[in-house]
Amino acid sequence: EKPHLGAKETNKRRSTHMKIFSAIVCRWLPDGASPILLSSTFELSSFGYFQRGSVQEVALFVTREVISRSQKGERQSVQHKEYFCHAQVTSNEIACAVITDGEYPGRVAFGLISQILDEFTKTYGADVSQYAQDKNLSLPVAADLLTKYQDPSEADAMLKIQKDLEDTKGILVKSIDQLLERGAKLEDLADKSQDLSFQSKAFLKQSQKMNSCCSIL
């Protein structure tokens, strides 16, 4: 007879299947302009080695699309298929977005975003108006946080996040279709995106045809 799993062990097993794939910091711009990349961190070990470059580009593309359609001071979670992009824009026009699978708790994802925004501000200051072009600013602590947050139950304990409605208050939850303009399709935006190489666009189309589990779109 198999031993009975306690709730703690069951949750631990479930959490091992949850993933955070990226954490990207940008300078938010008004009027729906494409945000400026400031710093990015990825954890793509669940993807094949030759897919990771394309997945990185897709993550950046999705992040820009979501942040460009966010307002200053807003937090929102945008779902497409089995993935979520959780994004927050501060009053200082610093934005951070993380991409997770559908099982990862949004409340914990915003805990990660809050910590990354704090660390970025400590390192580079609260004024990002001097950044007019994409940068690759070093933020080593982001990689450490991404690793710690892969297990949301441990992150919960670490941050002592309260499991009540206050945690998710003010977070808008939308589908990607609700986020985009009427009639617009994410696939069409991908075709026009400068973040995606020819190889990544081909990768996306092929994975969509095969209904691949590796497709963020």
Side-chain angles (χ1 to χ4, degrees), residues 186-215:
L186 196 62
E187 291 81 358
D188 295 336
L189 294 174
D191 281 337
K192 300 174 184 177
S193 172
Q194 295 183 350
D195 286 323
L196 299 175
S197 63
F198 175 81
Q199 291 89 340
S200 292
K201 291 175 183 178
F203 164 78
L204 280 177
K205 290 179 180 178
Q206 184 64 23
S207 61
Q208 286 168 347
K209 285 179 183 177
M210 297 173 65
N211 196 24
S212 171
C213 63
C214 298
S215 174

Side-chain angles (χ1 to χ4, degrees), residues 80-147:
H80 186 64
K81 297 182 180 177
E82 67 267 36
Y83 297 94
F84 270 91
C85 180
H86 305 280
Q88 179 174 344
V89 183
T90 71
S91 58
N92 295 323
E93 301 185 354
I94 305 173
C96 180
V98 300
I99 293 177
T100 73
D101 66 14
E103 292 187 9
Y104 196 93
R107 169 178 45 78
V108 184
F110 279 103
L112 171 60
I113 287 174
S114 179
Q115 286 210 301
I116 289 177
L117 287 170
D118 285 346
E119 293 296 336
F120 183 88
T121 303
K122 287 178 187 176
T123 306
Y124 294 103
D127 183 5
V128 293
S129 60
Q130 71 270 31
Y131 300 113
Q133 296 180 330
D134 285 355
K135 298 288 183 183
N136 187 19
L137 301 176
S138 176
L139 197 65
V141 70
D144 294 336
L145 288 170
L146 212 59
T147 299

Side-chain angles (χ1 to χ4, degrees), residues 22 24 26 35 58-68 85 97 99:
S22 63
I24 298 175
C26 296
V58 172
L60 177 56
F61 159 68
V62 171
T63 292
R64 285 203 216 253
E65 293 299 327
V66 171
I67 289 176
S68 69
C85 180
I99 293 177

Side-chain angles (χ1 to χ4, degrees), residues 62 65-67 69-70 76-81 83-87 98-100 110 171-180 186:
V62 171
E65 293 299 327
V66 171
I67 289 176
R69 290 167 173 81
S70 300
Q76 63 176 340
S77 298
V78 178
Q79 182 178 17
H80 186 64
K81 297 182 180 177
Y83 297 94
F84 270 91
C85 180
H86 305 280
V98 300
I99 293 177
T100 73
F110 279 103
I171 298 174
L172 303 175
V173 181
K174 303 177 181 178
S175 69
I176 196 69
D177 293 330
Q178 291 172 319
L179 183 75
L180 300 176
L186 196 62

